[in-house]
Amino acid sequence: MFHAPNEFQRAPLPSATRESEPRHRGTTTATAPPPAPVANKPPGAAPAKRRDAYFDNVKYLAIVLVAVAHSWEPVMDGSRTARALYMVAYAFHMPAFIIVSGYFSRSFDMSAAKVKRLVTGVAVPYVVFETAYSLFKGYADDTADRSISLLDPWYLTWFLIALFVWRLTTPIWQALRHPLPVALVIAVLASLCPTIGDDLDLQRVLQFLPFFVLGLRLKPEHFELVRRREVRMAALPLFAGALLFAYWVAPRMQLGWFYRSNSAQEMGAPWWSGAVMTLAMFGCALLLTIGFLAWVPRRRMWFTVLGSGTICGYLLHGFLIKGAGYAGVFDVYDWLAAPVGLVLVSVVAAVAVTLMCTPPVRRVLRPVTEPDMDWAFRRASARL
């Protein structure tokens, strides 16, 4: 989806080296003919890279959870069970996505090539889709205000601007001795500060920052530990307990704590609760993310190929869900709030986002999600 490996792409792994010396049989001196050159591959080019099926699977399953959770928002009122499921999903699906984002941002070093990839793979899609969503909202909602503000992300485009800011600051976090505690302090302070404002959705940028920094600090061996059998077994009672707790707390807890888009005071809570909830939510999200990662298949599955197209699924599914809301689908068919309706809505959202991640959709959106833009950069940075 992007030219560089990142949270939406499959992770490359070094390809296995092959023996280059010719083999001889007996005393025969003739050597085997050299292998035919690969078409369109220049001499001396690096060997083809394999992609890690595990991370493709993580990204696809995470984006399905995101879409399904978004589809529950219009129909979960009045259903304590649906609200509990929504809370559990929201507790970890974006943190998991952000942790993987940080993990694949470890090599960002402000070099010309990396900056170009950041601009073309994150900034350009943000500008295009923030504009598209603003126009969509204005016309679909039939409002007089159809202005476009690139400083005020709407709905799900906040993640792109957040990723842009996080990745720009990667060299800082890589240079600090204890970056995660520093990021947690920043997140706590943000939750106590109601004057931050809405520009660039900075509350979310700062409150979700610790997950990105945590991803920067992770190494491959950490994911090997997560995928151990005992961790998978522990994840089952963990999720069962989380669902029971969410069911109990559902009528009492504000959903704003999961969105991280406001300070404690803006939600009518005492200022000190911002610090407590920031740390508690970080711990809960981390445990649930570990449980989620433990159960993601590490082998190649039928959906593995879709992991490289999650940017398309993420950016497109909002049109479907918001469009259904503007069209009054959830008001006309109020039975969608019933258990059968919730299942149907979940299946439709999962199928739709799956189709949006397919290679044909990715090819259609490539001009805006993977633009070349060599014309905008100096030659040294254009050679990727």
Side-chain angles (χ1 to χ4, degrees), residues 34-297:
V38 179
N40 301 323
K41 184 175 181 180
K49 294 179 179 180
R50 282 192 300 119
R51 289 171 171 168
D52 192 335
Y54 174 74
F55 287 105
D56 269 345
N57 296 338
V58 168
K59 286 175 277 187
Y60 167 75
L61 294 174
I63 202 62
V64 169
L65 281 174
V66 170
V68 170
H70 282 161
S71 73
W72 288 341
E73 291 177 3
V75 294
M76 68 180 181
D77 288 342
S79 173
R80 188 171 179 176
T81 301
R83 188 179 175 91
L85 289 170
Y86 178 86
M87 292 170 67
V88 172
Y90 249 86
F92 77 93
H93 68 52
M94 283 311 298
F97 220 68
I98 294 168
I99 287 173
V100 174
S101 302
Y103 180 72
F104 285 110
S105 299
R106 294 170 300 159
S107 62
F108 186 83
D109 56 5
M110 293 296 289
S111 64
K114 298 292 176 60
V115 169
K116 181 196 172 185
R117 291 171 178 174
L118 180 63
V119 171
T120 58
V122 180
V124 171
Y126 170 74
V127 171
V128 171
F129 278 89
E130 175 61 22
T131 302
Y133 270 108
S134 298
L135 295 175
F136 171 75
K137 177 185 178 184
Y139 285 97
D141 202 20
D142 198 20
T143 59
D145 183 14
R146 296 175 180 174
S147 59
I148 299 172
S149 175
L150 297 180
L151 296 180
D152 187 13
W154 185 69
Y155 197 33
L156 46 71
T157 56
W158 71 268
F159 177 71
L160 290 178
I161 197 64
L163 181 60
F164 186 84
V165 174
W166 293 332
R167 193 164 287 174
L168 276 181
T169 61
T170 293
I172 298 176
W173 304 113
Q174 298 286 38
L176 292 178
R177 181 169 294 179
H178 304 293
L180 185 56
V182 173
L184 282 170
V185 169
I186 291 174
V188 166
L189 292 177
S191 72
L192 309 179
C193 184
T195 59
I196 288 180
D198 297 328
D199 289 350
L200 300 181
D201 221 343
L202 279 180
Q203 276 287 1
R204 277 177 167 167
V205 173
L206 298 177
Q207 290 194 42
F208 276 113
L209 173 64
F211 298 104
F212 182 82
V213 175
L214 174 61
L216 289 175
R217 306 302 296 171
L218 293 179
K219 298 178 180 179
E221 50 265 33
H222 293 131
F223 289 94
E224 291 299 324
L225 290 174
V226 164
R227 294 183 293 193
R228 295 172 63 179
R229 185 177 182 275
E230 51 266 37
V231 179
R232 291 200 302 273
M233 293 300 100
L236 298 177
L238 171 67
F239 273 99
L243 285 170
L244 289 174
F245 179 77
Y247 187 82
W248 174 75
V249 80
R252 304 171 178 85
M253 185 175 180
Q254 293 190 58
L255 295 177
W257 294 114
F258 297 92
Y259 304 147
R260 296 175 173 84
S261 56
N262 293 294
S263 64
Q265 297 93 315
E266 289 174 295
M267 292 188 289
W271 66 269
W272 53 264
S273 63
V276 174
M277 290 301 294
T278 297
L279 297 176
M281 294 292 290
F282 178 80
C284 291
L286 183 57
L287 288 175
L288 291 173
T289 297
I290 291 174
F292 167 71
L293 295 175
W295 277 97
V296 173

